[in-house]
Amino acid sequence: MPVSTQAAHPLTLIPGPVEFTDEVLQAMATPSQSHVSPQFVSVFGDALALLRELFMNKDKSAQAFAIAGAGTLGWDFVASNLLEPGENALVLHTGYFADSFADCIDTYGGVPTQLKAPLGDVVPLEQVEAALKSKFYKLITITHVDTSTGVLSDIKSIAALVRKVSPETLVIVDGVCSVGVEEIRFDEWDLDFVLTAPQKAIGVPAGLSIFIASGRALDVFKARKAKPGSYYASLAKWLPIMQNYEAKKASYFSTPPVQNIHALLASLKQILAIPLEDRFAAHEKMSEHIKETIASYGLKQVAVREGYQAHGMTAVYLPDGVALPDLLPKIAKRNIVLAGGLHKDIATKYFRIGHMGVSAIGDDRNDFTLALTAIKESLAECGYSI
């Protein structure tokens, strides 16, 4: 990935959207094209095939989806298709986004039960096991990386526990801030549904809801008694569309975002040009560098448990005497855009750095040399001595 030739602009180093490569932005500028033209059908089919590679999926009973919408739409697909009114869902809570997922489940008539971890920590497996043994849950949801805390959940171990204790429970992963940066082995870990969005580690402008559903999940959907709770977010509507496009056949339910799909294919080709294991390792190396540097400044992370800290972002507590409305504008004056807090209990007490995609692992880029220097200098301007 060469140094960007884009016009000078402040570096967006938040937990999404991230910086985009020139090739992706050029693909977004693809001239108008029919969504049922042979040219686009081929592009869409290739993108869906490469999404399988990204999710490490070879089992053809599963299906990848890329649909116009936000990552949030993935929650609607889960809640309106895989749960029927009155059915139970176990929601593992490691931050803000579990509350939102639970609210979505409740909206469609499901019954969410949240297991809440202490702030900055994960839910112990023992608690998950006890909950699964207490009653039957149709599905369990796991936020792989909660963007509000930077906590990384161990979906491999959780999925193995579910298969041991309650094998019919569907394993649902919110991978919005993890797909493309954290290891996810869809087939090997026996997952059922992983949802994500393009504007984070996949490195494509927002506008797509991307997910993969297992054959088991699709069978559960097909066996439901009630109609799906959503017209647009209906697997019945979208499954044949995705199957047809992947088979290079034109199909229609609702017009796909042609330019976004072109950009998705451009990015997937870049991502998969190297082994995914190398990509994960590169993100981990950058994450360690950022976290070690932040620690050398005397700052602490929100995610408290080593080994359970995201590799694509870091949530950092402010030092005593430094206020968020004072710090972030000083950093922004140095052309670095970072994010404020999101978790309602500590929103004014921390800030967040996104380090995924081309900024984190692009060749010959110094985005985080600039960012870490900007943080250090801005803290000093706020009166904090390092």
Side-chain angles (χ1 to χ4, degrees):
M1 296 180 184
V3 174
S4 173
T5 59
Q6 297 161 32
H9 62 280
L11 288 171
T12 303
L13 303 179
I14 63 176
V18 300
E19 290 289 315
F20 307 120
T21 66
D22 292 349
E23 292 82 0
V24 165
L25 293 182
Q26 288 161 6
M28 282 293 290
T30 298
S32 184
Q33 187 176 58
S34 168
H35 56 288
V36 293
S37 67
Q39 295 83 2
F40 177 69
V41 170
S42 179
V43 167
F44 204 169
D46 289 345
L48 291 169
L50 291 185
L51 279 175
R52 288 186 184 271
E53 292 188 31
L54 181 65
F55 288 114
M56 298 191 184
N57 162 250
K58 292 183 178 180
D59 182 354
K60 294 299 183 179
S61 70
Q63 181 60 52
F65 296 73
I67 296 169
T72 306
L73 183 61
W75 296 341
D76 289 76
F77 270 95
V78 170
S80 66
N81 291 277
L82 302 182
L83 278 173
E84 297 192 54
E87 291 185 328
N88 294 308
L90 184 62
V91 178
L92 303 191
H93 185 292
T94 53
Y96 174 94
F97 289 94
D99 287 329
S100 300
F101 207 158
D103 185 31
C104 182
I105 289 168
D106 178 71
T107 297
Y108 287 98
V111 183
T113 297
Q114 292 203 54
L115 279 184
K116 294 195 175 186
L119 180 60
D121 209 343
V122 294
V123 179
L125 287 176
E126 296 79 11
Q127 290 186 20
V128 180
E129 182 172 3
L132 291 171
K133 288 180 176 178
S134 69
K135 62 182 176 182
F136 177 68
Y137 288 96
K138 184 74 169 291
L139 56 83
I140 181 173
T141 74
I142 312 151
T143 308
H144 196 186
V145 170
D146 196 293
T147 321
S148 71
T149 58
V151 170
L152 172 67
S153 292
D154 181 359
I155 58 174
K156 179 182 179 181
S157 295
I158 296 169
L161 175 64
V162 173
R163 293 294 166 243
K164 176 184 175 183
V165 177
S166 183
E168 298 305 312
T169 297
L170 299 177
V171 178
I172 313 297
V173 177
D174 179 338
V176 168
C177 198
S178 69
V179 172
V181 57
E182 308 288 358
E183 183 179 19
I184 299 178
R185 297 181 180 273
F186 189 79
D187 291 358
E188 183 180 332
W189 296 352
D190 204 8
L191 307 176
D192 289 301
F193 198 102
V194 179
L195 64 97
T196 192
Q199 72 272 13
K200 296 180 185 274
I202 293 177
V204 176
L208 290 170
S209 176
I210 296 169
F211 55 90
I212 185 168
S214 71
R216 182 193 293 115
L218 294 174
D219 287 343
V220 165
F221 164 72
K222 292 171 185 176
R224 66 180 289 132
K225 297 179 178 65
K227 287 185 177 181
S230 171
Y231 179 76
Y232 183 74
S234 167
L235 288 175
K237 297 289 195 302
W238 284 110
L239 179 59
I241 304 299
M242 295 299 121
Q243 291 172 332
N244 285 342
Y245 269 113
E246 191 170 2
K248 304 294 180 73
K249 299 176 182 177
S251 198
Y252 177 75
F253 165 57
S254 177
T255 305
V258 172
Q259 282 67 30
N260 295 68
I261 299 296
H262 274 275
L264 176 62
L265 179 59
S267 184
L268 290 172
K269 286 179 176 179
Q270 290 179 327
I271 289 171
L272 296 167
I274 64 171
L276 282 170
E277 290 80 2
D278 292 350
R279 180 178 175 85
F280 301 149
H283 277 98
E284 185 171 349
K285 182 178 179 180
M286 177 58 76
S287 178
E288 289 174 354
H289 169 62
I290 290 169
K291 289 171 170 59
E292 288 171 359
T293 304
I294 288 297
S296 75
Y297 295 170
L299 306 181
K300 295 181 179 180
Q301 294 183 58
V302 174
V304 297
R305 191 181 295 269
E306 190 172 345
Y308 295 86
Q309 296 163 336
H311 299 113
M313 63 158 293
T314 305
V316 185
Y317 279 115
L318 294 163
D320 290 341
V322 176
L324 201 61
D326 192 19
L327 178 65
L328 290 186
K330 288 179 169 57
I331 295 173
K333 286 180 181 178
R334 292 166 167 81
N335 288 318
I336 302 293
V337 179
L338 302 182
L342 183 61
H343 195 289
K344 62 183 180 181
D345 293 342
I346 53 169
T348 62
K349 298 179 180 179
Y350 75 111
F351 64 97
R352 296 174 298 145
I353 310 166
H355 38 86
M356 60 191 98
V358 66
S359 288
I361 63 172
D363 293 338
D364 302 321
R365 292 185 69 121
N366 64 344
D367 294 14
F368 288 100
T369 299
L370 297 172
L372 292 168
T373 299
I375 293 169
K376 184 176 183 179
E377 292 177 350
S378 299
L379 286 168
E381 274 192 43
C382 290
Y384 174 72
S385 298
I386 295 173

